[in-house]
Amino acid sequence: FRSPKNPDVVYVAALGHPYGHNAERGVFRSTNGGKSWKKILFRDDHSGAVDLCLDPNNSKILYAALWDVYRTPWLLNDGGAGSGLFKSTDGGDTWAEITRNPGLPQGIIGKIGVAVSRVDSRRVYAMVEATGGGVFKSDDAGATWTLMSQDHRATQRAFYYSRIYADPKEKDTIYIMNVAFLKSTDAGKNFKFLKQPHGDNHDLWIDPNNNQRMINSNDGGGIVSVDGGTSWTGEAYPTAQLYHVSVTKDTPYQVCGAQQDNSTVCVQSVSEGAWRNTGTGMFAPIYAVGGGESGR
């Protein structure tokens, strides 16, 4: 995040290395446009910052979520004593923990997403992974909270998602990123599914001056809406995310790989004469082969 008042002030939420204990975790701040950094919020070497939100009306007020997470090839340790929700009112110089403020869940806390309404800075939303967790609303800037929903569509697979966004024009409208793209117009009590080209939604940007214009990133790529999420641009681009790439012994050889959320594919390493014009550039024919996502 950049401060809207001073573009040289930049904040970063750093999760750190997910496979081992390390000190490069927490919230960092730069006051010289990223030339140098200072760690301003840190709990321990196994808890990193996973979300950060600046009050749109007061850049000195920040909310940050720490996540106690550790992963190995055989284990995901999702949540622990290091997880928590924090608030600063002085630009990050000092922080107060609000994890256990009235209304928020007790017990082990996992991943947290947080958002502040541009319409009313006292309205804060949080997605909290916990027993008794869900979508929470505060109308006093985080002092007290109300559980609004435990809709499974919003809370499922929390370690992979838990992203929440406040509409910049409508106080009671929020969006939640999960397998589905969800919208609520009653402060999180009820959600409706917004259809778009691909599932597994991870991020959202809403134009602060026009809440009908938004950009969503999901496992299929990036999409744009100019009508509040009713319709979206497509994702039929000549691009792919490949887990592994191999070449065959053929002449000409084939280049093959397994795509993220898609099929396995091969393409010939052919001369330019065999390429085709798709209207967006010259591409060699790609064909599907046996196998599946994350395979070889």
Side-chain angles (χ1 to χ4, degrees), residues 26 49 74 98 102 123 154-155 174 177 191 202 204 220-221 223 234 247 257 262 267 275 281 292:
W74 59 89
I98 60 175
R123 173 66 62 84
T155 60
I174 57 174
M177 302 295 100
F191 289 92
H202 293 285
L204 180 69
I223 52 177
V247 295
N262 213 314
V267 59
W275 288 32

Side-chain angles (χ1 to χ4, degrees), residues 111-254:
K111 193 176 183 182
I112 301 172
V114 62
V116 182
S117 172
R118 182 180 292 269
V119 182
D120 179 359
S121 294
R122 296 169 299 177
R123 173 66 62 84
V124 185
Y125 295 98
M127 281 279 298
V128 183
E129 179 190 13
T131 300
V135 181
F136 292 82
K137 178 194 74 171
S138 173
D139 277 318
D140 50 19
T144 61
W145 298 80
T146 301
L147 176 63
M148 302 302 292
S149 173
Q150 292 180 310
D151 190 320
H152 178 68
R153 296 174 301 167
T155 60
Q156 65 176 312
R157 215 176 176 207
F159 78 93
Y160 197 54
Y161 303 105
S162 297
R163 304 290 285 177
I164 187 168
Y165 301 86
D167 189 281
K169 299 291 186 181
E170 300 172 12
K171 180 178 176 179
D172 290 335
T173 296
I174 57 174
Y175 298 88
I176 285 180
M177 302 295 100
N178 208 293
V179 176
F181 188 109
L182 301 174
K183 179 180 181 179
S184 172
T185 56
D186 55 10
K189 291 181 182 178
N190 300 283
F191 289 92
K192 66 176 182 179
F193 168 71
L194 297 185
K195 186 178 181 181
Q196 30 82 272
H198 201 285
D200 292 341
N201 300 276
H202 293 285
D203 211 349
L204 180 69
W205 174 82
I206 308 173
D207 185 337
N209 299 312
N210 177 9
N211 64 350
Q212 298 301 293
R213 180 171 172 257
M214 55 183 67
I215 304 171
N216 165 245
S217 62
N218 55 64
D219 276 11
I223 52 177
V224 177
S225 175
V226 293
D227 55 14
T230 301
S231 62
W232 298 87
T233 54
E235 292 181 299
Y237 308 124
T239 59
Q241 177 180 319
L242 301 177
Y243 284 100
H244 308 283
V245 174
S246 303
V247 295
T248 70
K249 297 179 180 179
D250 300 305
T251 302
Y253 63 87
Q254 316 287 300

